[in-house]
Amino acid sequence: MTSSLDAIANAQEAAKRNLWLHFTRMSSYADHEVPVIVRGSGAYVFDQHGKRYLDGLAGLFVSQVGHGRQEIAEAGARQASELAYFPLWSYAHPKAIELAQRLADLAPGDLNRVFFTTSGSEAVESAWKLAKQYFKLTGQPERYKVISREIAYHGTSMGALAITGLADIKYPFEPMTPGGVRVPNTNFYRAPAFVGGDLEAFGIWAADEIERAILREGPQSVAAVYLEPVQNSGGCFPPPPGYFQRVREICDRYGVLLVSDEVICAFGRLGYYFGSQRYGYQPDIITFAKGVTSGYAPLGGMLVRDELMEPFTAGTATFLHGITFAGHPVSCAVALANLDIFEKEDLLGNVRANEPAFRATLEKLCDLPIVGEVRGAGYFYGIELVKDKDTRETFNDEESERLLRGFLSQALFDAGLVCRADDRGDPVIQLSPPLICGQEHFDEMEAILRTVLTEAWSRL
Ligand SMILES: Cc1ncc(COP(=O)(O)O)c(C=O)c1O
């Protein structure tokens, strides 16, 4: 008993002394334990003390099939003993071939070419580099700019950061890679008054803002538009009806590539293999990561239309880009085993069948004075918190700091729910549970949120 307590204390000390947590104020652990998650099973994870938490965020929008899947772990182990590593630089390996073919079969339209990476940021940057080199090879060398939406998160490496629309996480690293251009997102809850009452008109306006940005920048200089099917950052903004169809028309009119950044929205998060399938649009490139392996090993990539590959299929042209661990054999084997589970257990069917119940369960929280709106799609929801429901007034910086960082994040975790309290836009709580979840999990989330949000309101 003493020795296990000693082990926990030693791990705490080492975590505080040697480990650097991402996007984390390390000072907040000066007088707090660092949470250490040691094991997972299904929709739950367990900390170093054996306490159980409902994983309402699928880790970080990752664990689609849930935790503790023996068959995926075994597929990875088998691959590691057969061929642990070989690069995709000039060579192929069987699992990368098989996975590329399988993803091409699942993807919409003629997205038949897969370029693997190890992460979402690398996928986003790879798509930008491809767009730039493609246009240089096809006689349009001035096209390099990328348009993306305000508050959208597209990753943290320097290229991806230039596409990300969050000023606060860019500022310390300025100057940015040149070429990032911002347009409004599809936050209908905070739509400008002149389109505030009409979702469709709002969507057309937001899409047309992309056209205005292209014209402002000079159409000959714009390479790509990056959009998530449902924008994560800011709290799950779904596209208004007709939005993506209009964006597709605009991109075609000016010869600009449409990149669907599906690092979160692919692999069942919205009830389809790809989010673009749910909303009926055809991207030129899809970027993916996270759910492709459900996190059992790291993998990302981009799916590319045949036409974008054409300049690279003849002569000496080479896409001058590569990453040592991209398309790692273990990760590809794991991704295939992950997709097998999707099929065997009809996870897409589970999300589609349960989506209305999940939404309805979360919408019960709308009777709380602090809940302004529940929005999202599939198994992907944001709950916007407000100070005044009628005026939609949000919290000031001090209240946000006190409410989100000072209370909510910790209180939700203490109450046994992993989710995200985020104020990169207006304050929201985000939920994105494993795709195996059902009504009992929805009820558990709702009950914990109700208790903690009620307490939060009383502290304001
Ligand atoms: C839409 C989107 N793009 C890109 C990224 C970056 O992915 P990664 O953290 O794997 O680099 C993320 C991460 O959350 C994301 O949500």
Side-chain angles (χ1 to χ4, degrees):
M1 188 65 191
T2 317
S3 69
S4 88
L5 287 178
D6 283 349
I8 289 172
N10 290 342
Q12 271 304 310
E13 206 187 312
K16 290 182 183 183
R17 192 182 56 234
N18 302 121
L19 187 62
W20 204 331
L21 303 181
H22 296 208
F23 277 116
T24 302
R25 261 186 217 177
M26 293 305 287
S27 64
S28 61
Y29 295 116
D31 49 7
H32 264 93
E33 255 200 347
V34 176
V36 180
I37 302 300
V38 295
R39 152 177 106 74
S41 174
Y44 294 91
V45 291
F46 299 82
D47 73 9
Q48 73 268 43
H49 305 292
K51 182 174 169 189
R52 190 179 90 153
Y53 302 83
L54 177 56
D55 186 2
L57 206 61
L60 197 56
F61 316 98
V62 166
S63 310
Q64 315 296 71
V65 300
H67 300 276
R69 296 286 197 151
Q70 206 58 33
E71 60 268 55
I72 304 186
E74 282 164 9
R78 267 197 309 278
Q79 182 59 44
S81 54
E82 194 169 303
L83 176 70
Y85 175 71
F86 220 72
L88 290 179
W89 303 43
S90 306
Y91 308 94
H93 57 76
K95 290 295 190 263
I97 298 170
E98 191 182 337
L99 182 60
Q101 184 179 37
R102 189 148 168 191
L103 293 175
D105 286 346
L106 296 174
D110 61 346
L111 293 163
N112 290 319
R113 189 69 66 161
V114 183
F115 184 94
F116 286 115
T117 65
T118 62
S119 72
S121 297
E122 287 170 356
V124 164
E125 290 213 24
S126 298
W128 194 4
K129 289 182 78 173
L130 173 62
K132 284 182 172 182
Q133 198 182 348
Y134 168 82
F135 284 124
K136 285 200 167 62
L137 286 172
T138 53
Q140 302 179 74
E142 288 172 47
R143 284 194 192 268
Y144 73 96
K145 294 178 187 166
V146 281
I147 293 173
S148 58
R149 296 185 289 199
E150 287 161 2
I151 316 179
Y153 181 86
H154 293 285
T156 49
S157 53
M158 287 307 289
L161 196 59
I163 303 174
T164 286
L166 289 154
D168 287 353
I169 67 164
K170 297 161 72 130
Y171 168 71
F173 311 106
E174 286 178 343
M176 287 288 114
T177 306
V181 177
R182 259 354 46 83
V183 292
N185 56 47
T186 60
N187 181 0
F188 187 56
Y189 190 66
R190 306 242 173 239
F194 62 93
V195 280
D198 183 339
L199 182 60
E200 219 152 309
F202 168 65
I204 296 303
W205 168 79
D208 286 350
E209 281 295 305
I210 294 175
E211 179 169 33
R212 280 187 276 280
I214 292 172
L215 292 171
R216 201 166 55 234
E217 294 295 319
Q220 76 289 348
S221 73
V222 180
V225 175
Y226 276 69
L227 304 171
E228 292 166 87
V230 172
Q231 180 175 321
N232 167 45
S233 191
C236 295
F237 306 140
Y243 174 79
F244 273 111
Q245 287 62 35
R246 184 86 159 199
V247 171
R248 182 69 266 182
E249 280 168 29
I250 292 165
C251 287
D252 289 344
R253 191 172 312 139
Y254 298 101
V256 171
L257 302 178
L258 175 54
V259 180
S260 192
D261 183 356
E262 307 207 8
V263 166
I264 288 179
C265 291
F267 303 106
R269 182 57 49 207
L270 304 180
Y272 292 75
Y273 277 109
F274 295 97
S276 40
Q277 291 163 327
R278 174 171 179 138
Y279 296 113
Y281 65 95
Q282 179 62 48
D284 299 299
I285 301 175
I286 289 178
T287 51
F288 63 88
K290 298 191 186 262
V292 66
T293 59
S294 286
Y296 285 77
L299 185 68
M302 58 172 170
L303 273 148
V304 175
R305 284 185 53 201
D306 290 332
E307 194 186 321
L308 296 177
M309 179 71 188
E310 268 166 28
F312 298 95
T313 52
T316 56
T318 306
F319 183 33
L320 294 169
H321 183 50
I323 299 150
T324 300
F325 284 143
H328 192 284
V330 172
S331 301
C332 291
V334 155
L336 288 162
N338 180 49
L339 292 174
D340 287 345
I341 292 180
F342 269 70
E343 276 177 27
K344 246 188 315 194
E345 300 182 11
D346 187 22
L347 291 185
L348 303 186
N350 191 51
V351 172
R352 290 186 206 178
N354 285 322
E355 172 177 345
F358 188 18
R359 176 187 284 276
T361 307
L362 294 178
E363 280 177 346
K364 287 189 200 165
L365 296 166
C366 290
D367 65 356
L368 299 177
I370 197 171
V371 172
E373 185 182 47
V374 173
R375 56 178 175 251
Y379 271 24
F380 188 34
Y381 289 95
I383 300 171
E384 179 153 346
L385 306 181
V386 288
K387 200 152 81 176
D388 185 323
K389 260 169 129 79
D390 296 328
T391 61
R392 302 187 180 183
E393 184 186 351
T394 191
F395 302 97
N396 62 33
D397 288 350
E398 182 275 322
E399 289 162 337
S400 231
E401 173 73 26
R402 190 154 48 85
L403 183 73
L404 265 82
R405 298 210 187 77
F407 174 70
L408 266 179
S409 299
Q410 190 62 41
L412 288 163
F413 187 69
D414 289 345
L417 178 63
V418 176
C419 62
R420 186 182 215 179
D422 190 5
D423 65 347
R424 291 179 298 180
D426 295 308
V428 289
I429 289 177
Q430 280 187 292
L431 295 162
S432 166
L435 311 183
I436 52 170
C437 284
Q439 189 60 50
E440 75 274 23
H441 304 107
F442 309 152
D443 288 339
E444 192 176 340
M445 287 183 237
E446 195 268 345
I448 293 174
L449 285 164
R450 178 169 293 280
T451 307
V452 174
L453 289 174
T454 303
E455 166 76 14
W457 183 252
S458 74
R459 285 167 171 249
L460 268 172

